[in-house]
């Protein structure tokens, strides 16, 4: 049984569908009910430690002691959706509660949603180099992003306390359902419409794939992975976009004209992640 926190949300819905399709038994815990009534669900406020450890222990017949891991996606999902201190408190405390409840129950397989924002979004200052990757220290610019960096730091310490634990944080790019792809050509006339995340995105189904691969990984310890699609949202080539917004930014390596500037090389190498979807195919189809 895998517990998915935030299963009623955008990424959670895709993740549950993908895990079920791959034969996993799942239970969603979320403040909100799932849109799909066939999903096993329990209403849990993860900012409350008592509720969190209770839910991970047993919820009637929905959650037994056979919890094999946690996918932690619940959060206030972006800057601005609540006052800064509410976002910071909600996300930091709920992530602590999830890690701590799992530790007490000896649930040692945890995958959770960090965020691309840790890379320095909205890139009001240029990135140190492109493509950006996991190799430079976090640059949170918002309370939301700071809450995600706190989660990454907590993961390191929890894994130091128990080296058999795995806590993989996925620095998800901007999650997109395919219905949004019709909007993408509208970005193309202005490089500044989407430079805030270096013109990247992640198809919700590929986010779900990355979560599953991270969950299935036999590695231990804390680690983070940038998760984006293989391409960006623009038809304009990267060189033109970078010249327009970040002239002179160093290139860490050669990259293709429409290749993602949020590097997914580490996720490819370590997790075997390979995005299967592109808005370009959707447009053509
Ligand atoms: N959507 C994006 O573009 C994006 C990008 C990067 C990272 N992320 C991260 O991915 C995760 C999932 O994002 P999403 O887009 O699916 O968000 P979402 O808002 O669609 O879903 C989040 C879910 O968390 C639940 N939740 C919030 N607070 C809770 C609490 N205290 N207890 C229990 N449940 C609670 C909400 O009810 C909601 O169903 C989040 O951690 C978010 O920060 C999202």
């Amino acid at each position: 049984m895998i517990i998915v926190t935030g299963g009623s949300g955008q990424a959670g819905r895709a993740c549950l569908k993908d895990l079920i399709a791959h034969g996993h038994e799942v239970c969603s815990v979320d403040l909100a009910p799932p849109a799909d009534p066939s999903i096993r669900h329990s209403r849990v406020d993860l900012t409350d430690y008592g509720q969190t450890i209770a839910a991970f222990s047993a919820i009637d017949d929905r959650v037994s002691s056979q919890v094999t891991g946690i996918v932690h996606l619940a959060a206030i999902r972006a800057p601005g959706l609540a006052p800064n201190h509410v976002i910071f408190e909600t996300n930091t405390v709920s992530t602590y509660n999830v890690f701590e409840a799992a530790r007490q129950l000896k649930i040692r397989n945890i995958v959770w949603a960090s965020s691309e924002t840790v890379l320095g979004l909205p890139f009001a200052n240029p990135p140190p180099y492109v493509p950006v990757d996991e190799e430079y220290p976090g640059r949170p610019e918002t309370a939301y992003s700071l809450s995600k960096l706190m989660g990454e730091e907590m993961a390191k310490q929890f894994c130091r306390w128990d080296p058999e634990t795995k806590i993989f944080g996925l620095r998800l790019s901007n999650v997109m359902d395919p219905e949004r792809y019709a909007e993408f050509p509208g970005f193309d006339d202005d490089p500044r419409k989407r430079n805030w995340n270096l013109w990247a995105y992640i198809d919700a189904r590929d986010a779900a794939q990355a979560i599953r691969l991270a969950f299935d990984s036999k590695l231990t310890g804390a680690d983070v992975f940038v998760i984006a699609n293989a391409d960006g949202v623009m038809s304009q080539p990267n060189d033109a976009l970078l010249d327009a917004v970040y002239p002179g930014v160093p290139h860490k390596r050669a990259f293709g004209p429409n290749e993602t500037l949020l590097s997914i090389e580490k996720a490819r190498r370590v997790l075997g992640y390979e995005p299967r979807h592109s808005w370009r195919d959707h447009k053509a189809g």
Side-chain angles (χ1 to χ4, degrees):
M1 161 78 69
I2 302 173
I3 292 184
V4 177
T5 81
S8 301
Q10 185 186 17
R13 288 191 296 274
C15 170
L16 286 165
K17 199 170 167 188
D18 178 88
L19 289 173
I20 292 167
H22 286 81
H24 290 287
E25 204 188 337
V26 293
C27 181
S28 169
V29 301
D30 196 304
L31 280 171
D36 175 353
S38 73
I39 295 291
R40 206 182 267 148
H41 166 263
S42 188
R43 186 189 183 284
V44 175
D45 183 350
L46 296 162
T47 63
D48 180 318
Y49 179 71
Q51 290 190 39
T52 307
I53 193 163
F56 291 3
S57 308
I59 310 169
D60 294 337
D61 60 347
R62 295 184 183 87
V63 174
S64 69
S65 56
Q66 308 303 315
V67 177
T68 54
I70 311 284
V71 173
H72 171 45
L73 305 175
I76 299 177
R77 69 188 274 182
L81 297 180
N84 287 342
H85 70 286
V86 175
I87 294 177
F88 183 81
E89 184 176 359
T90 303
N91 292 358
T92 308
V93 169
S94 58
T95 297
Y96 170 80
N97 288 344
V98 166
F99 291 175
E100 175 64 6
R103 182 169 84 102
Q104 294 300 336
L105 297 168
K106 304 202 178 340
I107 300 167
R108 295 192 160 100
N109 190 0
I110 302 170
V111 177
W112 73 286
S114 181
S115 158
E116 63 178 355
T117 58
V118 170
L119 296 162
L121 274 67
F123 292 116
N125 296 311
Y129 53 78
V130 287
V132 295
D133 57 20
E134 301 85 352
E135 295 300 313
Y136 60 94
R139 295 183 169 196
E141 304 289 1
T142 60
Y144 168 80
S145 186
L146 190 59
S147 76
K148 295 297 186 180
L149 190 63
M150 295 298 106
E152 293 186 1
E153 182 59 32
M154 284 191 281
K156 286 184 203 162
Q157 303 307 328
F158 274 81
C159 288
R160 184 173 63 80
W161 292 341
D162 178 8
E164 287 178 46
T165 290
K166 177 183 78 189
I167 307 182
F168 280 1
L170 303 187
R171 292 178 172 179
L172 298 178
S173 186
N174 188 196
V175 181
M176 292 285 177
D177 288 323
E179 298 72 48
R180 296 279 310 275
Y181 291 154
E183 296 169 32
F184 280 30
F187 301 145
D188 222 41
D189 58 353
D190 182 358
R192 292 185 183 273
K193 279 186 185 161
R194 297 280 310 187
N195 67 294
W196 52 266
N197 76 342
L198 298 182
W199 307 281
Y201 74 110
I202 177 69
D203 185 289
R205 296 163 296 181
D206 282 322
Q209 179 210 155
I211 291 166
R212 175 170 41 80
L213 291 170
F215 189 87
D216 287 346
S217 169
K218 301 294 178 226
L219 297 170
T220 55
D223 211 343
V224 293
F225 301 89
V226 173
I227 301 296
N229 277 89
D231 61 346
V233 302
M234 305 290 272
S235 294
Q236 287 193 50
N238 282 325
D239 284 347
L241 298 169
L242 291 167
D243 282 350
V245 188
Y246 303 114
V249 69
H251 292 201
K252 190 170 179 180
R253 59 169 169 79
F255 47 82
N258 296 117
E259 184 179 332
T260 178
L261 295 176
L262 301 193
S263 174
I264 55 173
E265 293 313 304
K266 183 178 174 186
R268 280 184 160 131
R269 191 176 68 251
V270 179
L271 303 178
Y273 169 65
E274 191 54 55
R276 300 219 167 82
H277 301 281
S278 164
W279 71 276
R280 285 162 228 275
D281 301 337
H282 190 81
K283 192 177 61 167

